[in-house]
Coordinates of all heavy atoms in Angstrom, one line a residue:
T43 N 155.5 99.1 103.2 CA 156.1 97.8 103.1 C 155.1 96.8 103.6 O 154.1 97.1 104.3 CB 157.4 97.8 103.9 OG1 157.1 98.0 105.3 CG2 158.4 98.8 103.4
E46 N 154.8 96.9 107.5 CA 154.0 98.0 108.0 C 152.5 97.7 107.8 O 151.7 98.0 108.6 CB 154.4 99.3 107.3 CG 155.8 99.8 107.7 CD 156.1 101.1 106.9 OE1 155.4 101.4 106.0 OE2 157.2 101.7 107.3
R63 N 134.8 96.2 122.7 CA 134.0 96.3 121.5 C 132.8 95.5 121.5 O 131.8 95.7 120.8 CB 134.9 95.9 120.3 CG 134.3 96.1 118.9 CD 134.3 97.6 118.5 NE 133.8 97.7 117.2 CZ 133.6 98.9 116.6 NH1 134.0 100.0 117.2 NH2 133.2 99.0 115.4
S71 N 124.4 98.2 109.5 CA 124.7 99.2 108.5 C 126.0 100.0 108.9 O 126.6 100.7 108.1 CB 123.6 100.2 108.3 OG 123.3 100.9 109.5
Q79 N 123.1 94.3 124.7 CA 123.1 92.9 124.9 C 122.2 92.6 126.1 O 122.3 93.2 127.1 CB 124.5 92.4 125.2 CG 125.5 92.5 124.0 CD 125.2 91.6 122.9 OE1 124.6 90.5 123.1 NE2 125.6 92.0 121.7
H95 N 98.7 84.1 127.3 CA 98.0 84.5 126.0 C 97.4 83.3 125.3 O 97.1 83.3 124.1 CB 99.1 85.1 125.0 CG 99.6 86.4 125.5 ND1 100.5 86.5 126.5 CD2 99.3 87.7 125.2 CE1 100.8 87.8 126.8 NE2 100.1 88.5 125.9
L141 N 113.5 83.0 120.8 CA 113.3 84.4 120.6 C 111.8 84.7 120.6 O 111.1 84.1 119.8 CB 113.9 84.9 119.3 CG 114.0 86.4 119.0 CD1 114.9 87.1 120.0 CD2 114.5 86.6 117.6
E159 N 128.6 66.0 108.4 CA 127.8 65.2 107.5 C 128.1 63.7 107.6 O 127.1 62.9 107.7 CB 128.0 65.6 106.0 CG 127.1 64.9 105.0 CD 127.2 65.4 103.6 OE1 128.0 66.4 103.5 OE2 126.6 64.9 102.7
P160 N 129.3 63.2 107.7 CA 129.5 61.7 107.9 C 129.0 61.2 109.2 O 128.4 60.1 109.2 CB 131.0 61.6 107.8 CG 131.5 62.8 107.1 CD 130.6 63.9 107.5
W170 N 118.0 54.0 111.9 CA 117.2 53.2 110.9 C 117.2 51.7 111.2 O 116.2 51.0 111.2 CB 117.6 53.5 109.5 CG 116.8 52.8 108.5 CD1 115.6 53.1 108.1 CD2 117.2 51.7 107.7 NE1 115.2 52.2 107.1 CE2 116.2 51.3 106.9 CE3 118.4 50.9 107.7 CZ2 116.2 50.2 106.0 CZ3 118.5 49.8 106.9 CH2 117.4 49.5 106.0
M186 N 100.5 55.5 115.1 CA 99.8 56.7 115.6 C 98.6 57.0 114.8 O 98.6 56.8 113.5 CB 100.8 57.9 115.6 CG 100.2 59.2 116.2 SD 101.4 60.5 116.2 CE 100.4 61.8 117.0
P190 N 95.4 63.3 116.0 CA 95.6 62.9 117.4 C 94.6 63.6 118.3 O 94.3 63.0 119.4 CB 97.0 63.2 117.7 CG 97.4 64.3 116.7 CD 96.6 64.1 115.5

Side-chain angles (χ1 to χ4, degrees):
T43 61
E46 292 176 351
R63 185 76 176 179
S71 60
Q79 298 289 335
H95 293 76
L141 186 67
E159 187 174 357
W170 179 77
M186 186 175 180

